[in-house]
Amino acid sequence: GVQTCAFPFFVLYIFLQAFSVPGTIFLNVLSGTIFGRWVAFSLTLIAASLGAASAYGMSYLLGHTIVRRVFPQRLKTFSDAISRHRHNLFYFLLFLRITPLLPNWFINISSPLLDVPFSIFFLATLLGIMPATLIAVNTGVSIHDIKDDPSQVFGLNTFLTLMGIGLLSLLPVLINKIRGVESAALDTDATQKKAQ
C-alpha cells in the first residue's frame, strides 16, 4: 500500500535532486495526493534536503572543472553575490532558497565551489524549501480543486507568497544594518561632543 511506495518514492526523489534532474515539484504534488499532507511534507522535505546535500558533495568532489566550464558566467555572478553577502551568508542563502530567483539545482552544485560551509548550506536549504514544499504538497492534497492543472502550483499568488516570505527572511540583515547605522551615528555624535 502507501507505506510500500514510500521508500521507492524517497529514493527516486533523492536521485532526482542529487543529479539535478527536473521533476521534483511534481513529486511534491504527487506525494500530497498519495501520502497526505504531513507525511508527504516530512518525506519530501527530508528527501529534498538529502538530495541537495548529495549534489553538494558530488560537486565538491567532482564538479570543479565541469561547473566552471559549463556555467562560467552564472558562477561568476553568483560568486560576486556570495562575496557581497558573506557576512550574512545564512540569510542570503535562505532568501535564495525561499524565492524562485535562482534555480535550486544551481545553488546545490555551485555552493561548494564558492566556499559556502556545508552547515550553512544544509540549514538554509532545510528551512528555505519548507514554504514551497508545503504549498506543493497542499496542492496535491486538494488536487481535485486545481482541475488537472499543476501549473497553478507556481502561479502568481504562489510567486508573490514566496517572494514575501523571502523578504521576511532578510529582516535580520536589515535590522543589523539599521543598528550599524545607529551605532555609527552615536559614535559620530560622541566624537563631535568630545571635540567641542
Side-chain angles (χ1 to χ4, degrees):
V2 171
Q3 291 175 336
T4 312
C5 52
F7 182 71
F9 177 91
F10 190 71
V11 171
L12 174 64
Y13 200 114
I14 292 174
F15 175 84
L16 293 180
Q17 279 285 91
F19 291 97
S20 306
V21 179
T24 52
I25 179 61
F26 296 105
L27 286 183
N28 287 348
V29 175
L30 183 63
S31 71
T33 306
I34 297 171
F35 304 113
R37 179 176 289 108
W38 298 115
V39 172
F41 177 68
S42 304
L43 192 67
T44 54
L45 187 65
I46 294 167
S49 300
L50 291 176
S54 302
Y56 180 105
M58 284 191 293
S59 182
Y60 179 79
L61 294 172
L62 310 167
H64 288 265
T65 309
I66 299 166
V67 176
R68 291 181 197 285
R69 186 175 296 165
V70 178
F71 305 108
Q73 190 53 50
R74 184 176 270 187
L75 192 63
K76 184 186 181 312
T77 304
F78 190 35
S79 175
D80 293 344
I82 290 282
S83 298
R84 284 196 308 275
H85 299 282
R86 183 69 66 178
H87 58 292
N88 288 307
L89 192 54
F90 170 75
Y91 294 110
F92 179 60
L93 278 183
L94 185 64
F95 172 76
L96 289 179
R97 285 300 198 188
I98 292 170
T99 58
L101 298 178
L102 193 64
N104 278 332
W105 62 265
F106 184 73
I107 297 172
N108 295 345
I109 63 172
S110 59
S111 290
L113 310 183
L114 303 177
D115 297 323
V116 174
F118 179 75
S119 57
I120 290 178
F121 168 86
F122 189 79
L123 190 58
T125 298
L126 183 68
L127 297 176
I129 63 175
M130 281 183 178
T133 302
L134 188 57
I135 288 168
V137 166
N138 278 336
T139 301
V141 170
S142 55
I143 196 83
H144 59 279
D145 293 335
I146 64 168
K147 300 180 177 62
D148 300 320
D149 182 11
S151 67
Q152 288 185 30
V153 174
F154 279 129
L156 181 61
N157 286 344
T158 302
F159 178 81
L160 293 175
T161 301
L162 292 176
M163 287 300 294
I165 295 169
L167 291 172
L168 282 176
S169 74
L170 291 179
L171 267 180
V173 178
L174 184 62
I175 289 166
N176 284 339
K177 286 202 177 215
I178 291 168
R179 281 183 183 157
V181 168
E182 283 175 354
S183 62
L186 289 172
D187 290 345
T188 305
D189 285 347
T191 307
Q192 287 173 348
K193 282 175 184 173
K194 279 182 186 176
Q196 291 168 357

